[in-house]
Amino acid sequence: MPPKIRELISELERAGFVDRGGKGSHRNFVHADLSEPVTISGKPSGDAKFYQIKAVKLALKEIKK
């Protein structure tokens, strides 16, 4: 069972990402150590898609370098 969108958001916020907003259900998370924002879309109670999980894991890996 995939994680919920709210769980991905929590992971990003714990790592120091800041939600800079977006249009509709899209949220753009930025971090000082990354040049590209991480975009998460969907309702917080919805299941995360594979590409969203992958993007979050990659972003968290990049900031730990």
Side-chain angles (χ1 to χ4, degrees):
M1 187 165 177
K4 299 290 183 186
I5 298 290
R6 77 172 76 86
E7 294 170 15
L8 296 182
I9 292 170
S10 294
E11 282 185 55
L12 289 172
E13 289 175 341
R14 277 194 305 264
F17 283 80
V18 177
D19 183 0
R20 71 165 194 200
K23 285 189 164 188
S25 67
H26 290 72
R27 296 165 207 82
N28 295 304
F29 290 89
V30 294
H31 193 279
D33 296 338
L34 284 180
S35 60
E36 297 281 325
V38 178
T39 303
I40 303 292
S41 63
K43 293 181 181 179
S45 61
D47 290 337
K49 306 277 192 274
F50 173 74
Y51 68 89
Q52 294 171 321
I53 298 167
K54 185 177 174 182
V56 169
K57 285 183 181 180
L58 183 63
L60 294 175
K61 184 179 174 183
E62 287 292 318
I63 64 167
K64 290 183 181 178
K65 283 186 177 180

